[in-house]
Amino acid sequence: QSALTQPRSVSGSPGQSVTISCTGTSSDIGRFNYVSWYQQHPGKAPKLMIYDVTKRPSGVPDRFSGSKSGNEASLTISGLQADDEADYFCSSYAGSYTRVFGTGTKVTVL
Amino acid sequence: EAQLVESGGGLIQPGGSLRLSCAASGFKVSSNYMTWVRQAPGEGLEWVSIIYSAGDTYYADAVKGRFTISRDNSVNTVYLQMTSLKVEDTALYYCAKGYTFAYDSFDTWGQGTLVTVSS
């Protein structure tokens, strides 16, 4: 199972919006609506930010939103804040009870 | 509040075996799907294995036949038995709990336990 493809890095100024792409195949993202996004600060465990493509767990700000089109999913962070600076990983269910993670994207707040 | 604490990592020679533990509190591992995810130094996340509430287990191709996930409901703990370890298994191993409202997402993670495979 190959990792989902994400840009290595994205950046934006405070208050701006950034979008992270996550490209998979017709066997994972394209086939299932089970895409999740995780935020990971340095030295910390991942934190669930988005599940089922567009849903946010309780406590996650609505500045974070997810979407999907075809084999590509996206995470948009609006109103960028300093604490949003972190690594972000997508994941997708890939059938047969397996899942695959993305390569990860470093978000830098300028 | 749900919490997970991993243990059992360490330095091991190639070909060796190690058992990781993931002690849970605040919820029952038997009622949730539980997974192991690893992260090599400076790298991304890689799914390793999962155990569902019914007890069925699944593995990534990279570890199939070498790793075994299990749980002990009496001590509310999930395990990962690792055998025939390879240098490429070196990583921080996280245990995570399935999110109740999602089919395939993980909302509670431990801090990880480091496994280093080296001669």
Side-chain angles (χ1 to χ4, degrees):
Chain A
Q1 196 77 30
S2 298
L4 307 174
T5 301
Q6 299 180 232
R8 202 163 188 84
S9 64
V10 298
S11 61
S13 299
Q16 288 187 331
S17 294
V18 295
T19 296
I20 303 168
S21 62
C22 171
T23 304
T25 69
S26 57
S27 297
D28 38 64
I29 292 178
R31 183 175 178 191
F32 303 101
N33 288 321
Y34 299 131
V35 176
S36 304
W37 288 90
Y38 299 89
Q39 176 192 65
Q40 186 180 36
H41 286 110
K44 300 295 186 181
K47 176 186 176 182
L48 178 65
M49 304 301 284
I50 295 287
Y51 69 98
D52 292 356
V53 180
T54 62
K55 300 176 183 176
R56 282 176 289 104
S58 174
V60 173
D62 59 7
R63 302 185 296 104
F64 292 85
S65 61
S67 63
K68 188 188 94 166
S69 178
N71 297 338
E72 182 173 288
S74 297
L75 173 72
T76 297
I77 309 173
S78 305
L80 203 59
Q81 299 181 0
D83 189 53
D84 298 334
E85 186 162 295
D87 292 325
Y88 291 82
F89 296 91
C90 59
S91 76
S92 175
Y93 182 69
S96 300
Y97 304 102
T98 67
R99 71 272 314 138
V100 60
F101 282 93
T103 51
T105 299
K106 180 176 178 57
V107 170
T108 300
V109 181
L110 301 171
Chain B
E1 178 191 3
Q3 288 190 327
L4 296 167
V5 177
E6 302 96 334
S7 61
L11 175 63
I12 188 79
Q13 291 188 336
S17 299
L18 211 55
R19 189 179 81 158
L20 307 183
S21 299
C22 170
S25 59
F27 72 99
K28 292 183 177 181
V29 297
S30 59
S31 301
N32 293 269
Y33 55 104
M34 301 290 297
T35 199
W36 287 95
V37 173
R38 67 186 182 185
Q39 187 170 34
E43 300 295 325
L45 302 174
E46 180 185 15
W47 174 68
V48 174
S49 181
I50 193 166
I51 182 167
Y52 289 93
S53 57
D56 44 332
T57 60
Y58 301 91
Y59 302 91
D61 287 344
V63 307
K64 198 174 296 182
R66 299 188 297 122
F67 290 11
T68 303
I69 190 172
S70 63
R71 70 184 182 216
D72 185 336
N73 298 337
S74 68
V75 291
N76 212 29
T77 298
V78 176
Y79 303 99
L80 186 69
Q81 178 68 48
M82 306 185 296
T83 63
S84 302
L85 282 161
K86 305 176 181 180
V87 171
E88 52 264 40
D89 294 320
T90 294
L92 185 64
Y93 283 72
Y94 290 105
C95 170
K97 166 187 161 294
Y99 186 42
T100 303
F101 302 106
Y103 181 80
D104 196 62
S105 301
F106 306 98
D107 66 330
T108 301
W109 295 65
Q111 286 305 301
T113 186
L114 182 63
V115 173
T116 303
V117 185
S118 174
S119 55

